[in-house]
């Protein structure tokens, strides 16, 4: 088996806490259970470089080694080569890098983590951003496929553990820009509504549920185009799946382009897709704990849509002050 055929996948927030065998079955539903067990027993599937058992509990940011038998590629079992153009696009969006971490301005439409039928994903393409033979960058948090903006990855295991702890707690501070339908009655506010997941794989949707997981989101108005649409600065205080999307829809202001959470046909056909951008991330640096602050400019399509709607991105700093007053 060629080592070049081996892929590595980082455990994201969805997989954290799952048993390894269940994580594998969800990712590779067509692979017989007996084959998965054999690959585990023979050490061809590993976690952070070491042998793992079926009942191993996965942790956020861990690296799972996946042999070519699982990758559903060509008959000879070779993994497809990295897409050079896609890697070059990621490299152009590199915001920060040192020996511990790298930060990307993730493009909208690109999945963070690969899966069945997923040809391109950041966790695989990121292999092209480090020297051959270097450890694969590890995911420590995630963005939805259609969300753009700051995505941080760890370049070594110690950094992954430290950053995973920051994201699981409240040490990571995230700011998003969102263009929404309508205009909130208040210029700033807090949404504190528990969320629970419904729907199967590929159809996940969060809904309000008093028995769900705690979810808190702060928002502040950046600018408004009358009562038609608004630009918001949003700070999620917790990290639930689709949290911002579900919370803004819950207060009657779905994000433009988000048909899953209530945007109407006209608001989902304006062109650039989901109008949600991860604008800034501040997190303790894994080396010394000093604040690492990364900002990502919105993509051209986002800027163009704001301009078309008459929304001024230059007002973001004033909105930031409103969030800081509320504890973001």
């Amino acid at each position: 088996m060629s080592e070049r055929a081996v892929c590595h996948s980082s455990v994201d927030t969805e997989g954290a806490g799952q048993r390894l065998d269940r994580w594998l079955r969800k990712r590779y539903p067509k692979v017989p259970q007996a084959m998965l067990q054999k690959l585990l027993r023979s050490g061809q599937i590993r976690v952070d470089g070491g042998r793992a058992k079926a009942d191993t509990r996965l942790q956020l940011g861990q690296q799972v080694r996946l042999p070519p038998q699982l990758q559903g590629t060509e008959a000879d079992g070779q993994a497809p080569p990295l897409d050079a153009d896609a890697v070059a696009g990621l490299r152009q969006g590199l915001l920060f890098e040192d020996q511990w971490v790298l930060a990307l301005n993730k493009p909208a439409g690109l999945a963070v983590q690969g899966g069945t039928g997923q040809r391109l994903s950041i966790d695989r393409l990121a292999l092209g951003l480090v020297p051959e033979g270097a450890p694969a960058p590890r995911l420590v948090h995630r963005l939805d496929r259609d969300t753009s903006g700051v995505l941080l990855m760890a370049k070594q295991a110690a950094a992954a553990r430290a950053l995973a702890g920051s994201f699981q707690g409240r040490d990571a501070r995230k700011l998003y820009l969102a263009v929404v339908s309508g205009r909130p009655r208040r210029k700033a506010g807090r949404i504190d509504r528990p969320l629970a997941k419904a729907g199967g794989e590929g159809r996940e949707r969060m809904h309000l549920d008093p028995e769900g997981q705690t979810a808190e989101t702060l928002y502040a108005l950046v600018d408004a185009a009358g009562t038609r649409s608004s630009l918001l600065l949003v700070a999620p205080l917790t990290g639930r799946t689709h949290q911002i999307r579900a919370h803004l829809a819950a207060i009657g202001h779905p994000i433009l382009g988000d048909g899953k959470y209530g945007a109407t046909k006209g608001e989902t056909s304006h062109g650039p897709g989901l109008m949600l951008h991860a604008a800034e991330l501040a997190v303790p640096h894994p080396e010394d704990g000093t604040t690492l602050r990364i900002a990502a400019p919105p993509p051209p399509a986002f800027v163009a849509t704001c301009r078309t709607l008459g929304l001024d991105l230059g007002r973001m700093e004033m909105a930031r002050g409103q969030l800081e007053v509320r504890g973001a």
Side-chain angles (χ1 to χ4, degrees):
M1 183 194 311
S2 168
E3 186 63 26
R4 292 188 307 163
V6 171
C7 284
H8 293 79
S9 181
S10 296
V11 177
D12 64 7
T13 53
E14 292 285 326
Q18 287 187 21
R19 284 171 52 118
L20 176 58
D21 56 352
R22 292 174 183 167
W23 184 87
L24 290 166
R25 281 203 301 269
K26 182 176 180 181
R27 191 178 177 92
Y28 302 104
K30 297 180 181 180
V31 177
Q33 179 67 13
M35 181 178 176
L36 292 176
Q37 293 293 343
K38 181 178 179 180
L39 293 172
L40 282 166
R41 287 195 305 270
S42 62
Q44 295 187 65
I45 296 175
R46 292 173 174 259
V47 176
D48 278 350
R51 286 177 176 267
K53 297 181 179 180
D55 62 355
T56 296
R57 292 284 177 180
L58 296 174
Q59 299 178 20
L60 184 67
Q62 284 187 317
Q63 200 81 358
V64 182
R65 179 191 188 276
L66 300 167
Q69 295 95 315
L70 299 182
Q71 294 166 27
T73 57
E74 295 80 8
D76 63 0
Q78 296 300 305
L82 294 177
D83 185 308
D85 290 339
V87 171
L90 278 191
R91 185 172 287 111
Q92 288 179 349
L94 189 64
L95 300 169
F96 176 85
E97 183 177 15
D98 62 13
Q99 69 185 67
W100 294 83
V101 302
L102 61 82
L104 302 169
N105 190 352
K106 174 193 167 304
L110 181 60
V112 168
Q113 190 165 38
T116 304
Q118 190 72 57
R119 189 177 69 86
L120 294 177
S121 62
I122 286 180
D123 64 342
R124 173 156 170 75
L125 293 173
L127 288 167
L129 301 178
V130 294
E132 186 173 355
R138 305 177 183 213
L139 293 169
V140 293
H141 69 122
R142 62 181 296 179
L143 297 175
D144 292 342
R145 182 178 62 184
D146 295 324
T147 301
S148 59
V150 182
L151 182 72
L152 194 64
M153 302 185 78
K155 294 176 67 176
Q156 50 181 277
R161 289 192 295 270
L163 291 170
S166 295
F167 281 98
Q168 288 173 338
R170 292 198 176 188
D171 293 331
R173 298 173 58 192
K174 296 169 280 187
L175 291 178
Y176 289 74
L177 287 167
V179 179
V180 303
S181 174
R183 176 174 181 161
R185 287 182 299 173
R186 298 162 55 189
K187 289 187 176 181
R190 177 188 294 262
I191 308 168
D192 185 358
R193 302 192 184 182
L195 296 172
K197 185 179 295 184
E201 183 177 0
R203 300 187 302 275
E204 293 92 345
R205 188 180 190 280
M206 304 300 288
H207 66 280
L208 302 183
D209 185 342
E211 304 300 320
Q213 293 181 300
T214 300
E216 297 179 75
T217 304
L218 303 180
Y219 71 88
L221 181 69
V222 177
D223 198 12
T227 58
R228 181 182 57 174
S229 57
S230 302
L231 177 63
L232 304 181
L233 188 62
V234 186
L237 301 183
T238 50
R240 310 307 176 202
T241 301
H242 298 176
Q243 176 176 317
I244 294 174
R245 298 165 63 183
H247 268 175
L248 292 179
I251 64 170
H253 301 289
I255 300 172
L256 268 61
D258 196 358
K260 177 174 283 192
Y261 287 97
T264 64
K265 183 176 181 181
E267 294 165 342
T268 58
S269 59
H270 57 88
L274 184 69
M275 291 293 291
L276 181 63
H277 175 72
E280 187 174 298
L281 172 65
V283 65
H285 194 286
E287 180 182 22
D288 56 14
T290 57
T291 300
L292 175 63
R293 191 181 305 276
I294 308 292
F302 191 103
V303 174
T305 298
C306 287
R307 186 179 298 117
T308 298
L309 295 174
L311 300 170
D312 186 359
L313 284 161
R315 296 173 177 265
M316 178 176 165
E317 290 305 313
M318 288 187 290
R320 185 197 298 270
Q322 292 287 330
L323 290 183
E324 290 176 350
V325 167
R326 293 178 175 271

